[in-house]
Amino acid sequence: MCYYNGQKVTRAEYIELMKLEKSVMGVQELKRPTVLGPESPPMVVLKPNFDRTDFEITTMRWGFIPSGIRNMELVKKFENGFKREDGTFQTGYDTENARGEELLWINPKTNRPKIFKDAALSNRCLIISHQYYEWHHKYRINKRTGETLKTPDKYPFAIRVKGREYFYMAGIWNTWTDQDTGEVMDTLSMITTDANPLTALIHNSKKRMPTILPDELAWEWMMTNVSPERMTELASFQFPEENMEAFSINQKFQFTGEDPYPVIYPELAEDGLPGSYTTQTSLF
C-alpha cells in the first residue's frame, strides 16, 4: 500500500514546523502531482542534522536499500526478485513501506531483526505530502452464475488532511554506498500503520495508511532521542479520521502527469464511501 504519493506543494513560501521555517521555493520535486513508488523516485523530506539541532529539506530515493547490498545490480535483484540456479524464483522485497508496529520486530526463526531497525532508532525523517492515493476494491457479481468475481474493480481515491496544504508522514532512511562505483545516496521508507475507519473504508484490501503525524509528534519523531517503546508508539500513530477528507479521482491518474481530478463512480454509492460531487469540487 501507499505506493503513490502527491508532492505538489502550492506556492507556499515556507514550510513551518514548530515555528521553524525552511524555504521550499525552487524545489522542483514539490511540483509533481503524483510520485510513483515502483519507479524509485526522489522524495522530498525533512532530514535532521547529526545532533538534531536543525533540519534541511532534501531528497531521498524512495526504496530503502540495506547497507549490505554491494551494488545497484544486486539492489534490482533484491527489489524485483530473481530466478535461482535451481529454477525457482526468489520474490523481491518491498522496502518503499515499513510497518510501524514491526520496526523492532525480531524474527523468532532467525533471531534477527528487520532491516529497518537501526534506521528506526537513529535515522528518522519526515516526508512532505499534500495528499496521497489509495484504491478501493469492489467485487462485481457474475450475472450468469451469481458468484462473486475473483478479480476486483479498483477505484482510486485522493486522501488529504483537512485545512492543510501539506502534512508530514513518518519516514526512515539509510545512507547506502554502491561499493563498485562509490555512489552514495540516502534511501527512504515510508512508515505505515493500521488504517483509521475512513481510510480503511477506502483502502479495503489491506486497511493500512501512512503514519501521518501532527506537528508536535512530527517534531518529536524527527528531532528528539526517543526510547524504542516511544518510537514504536509514534510509528504506529493513527491520524484521526475526523481530520481527514477523501474523494474519488480519475482512473490512471498516475500516468497523466496532471493533477488528479474528482470523478463520481455511481457503482460505489452503496459502499458508503466519502464525498459527493458537491463536496468534492469544493475542495479545489
Side-chain angles (χ1 to χ4, degrees), residues 17 20 22 45-58 60 119 121-127 171-173 175 186 188 218-225:
L17 179 65
L20 294 178
K22 292 285 183 176
V45 302
L46 303 184
K47 176 186 177 183
N49 61 8
F50 179 75
D51 59 2
R52 294 194 178 95
T53 57
D54 198 1
F55 61 86
E56 63 175 325
I57 299 173
T58 187
M60 298 182 183
L121 293 175
S122 59
N123 293 345
R124 298 184 300 277
C125 60
L126 297 172
I127 302 167
I172 56 175
W173 88 89
T175 302
D186 284 339
L188 172 73
W219 174 263
E220 184 180 2
W221 171 264
M222 180 174 68
M223 300 295 282
T224 66
N225 292 312

Side-chain angles (χ1 to χ4, degrees), residues 13 25 29 153 168 187 192 195 284:
E13 189 166 349
M25 296 180 67
E29 288 84 357
D153 295 329
Y168 309 106
T187 67
T192 69
F284 293 86

Side-chain angles (χ1 to χ4, degrees), residues 208-247:
R208 301 286 294 178
M209 66 181 290
T211 299
I212 298 171
L213 297 173
D215 287 354
E216 290 189 9
L217 296 187
W219 174 263
E220 184 180 2
W221 171 264
M222 180 174 68
M223 300 295 282
T224 66
N225 292 312
V226 295
S227 67
E229 294 77 16
R230 180 56 177 165
M231 187 279 300
T232 300
E233 288 179 359
L234 292 171
S236 306
F237 179 79
Q238 189 182 85
F239 198 80
E241 66 168 331
E242 59 268 23
N243 295 334
M244 302 182 75
E245 58 191 2
F247 54 98

Side-chain angles (χ1 to χ4, degrees), residues 157-178:
F157 279 74
I159 306 170
R160 59 173 63 166
V161 174
K162 290 180 180 178
R164 294 290 296 263
E165 290 186 351
Y166 51 83
F167 53 90
Y168 309 106
M169 300 173 173
I172 56 175
W173 88 89
N174 182 52
T175 302
W176 177 77
T177 301
D178 187 317

Side-chain angles (χ1 to χ4, degrees), residues 1-4 62 97 132-134 190 192 208-210:
M1 56 82 62
C2 300
Y3 299 133
Y4 302 91
W62 194 5
N97 295 162
Y132 76 98
Y133 311 100
E134 288 293 6
M190 178 189 294
T192 69
R208 301 286 294 178
M209 66 181 290

Side-chain angles (χ1 to χ4, degrees), residues 8-41:
K8 184 176 181 181
V9 174
T10 56
R11 194 174 176 81
E13 189 166 349
Y14 295 101
I15 285 180
E16 182 175 310
L17 179 65
M18 294 297 290
K19 304 305 179 183
L20 294 178
E21 295 178 343
K22 292 285 183 176
S23 174
V24 297
M25 296 180 67
V27 181
Q28 293 301 311
E29 288 84 357
L30 286 177
K31 299 177 181 179
R32 301 169 295 179
T34 57
V35 182
L36 278 63
E39 296 180 356
S40 302

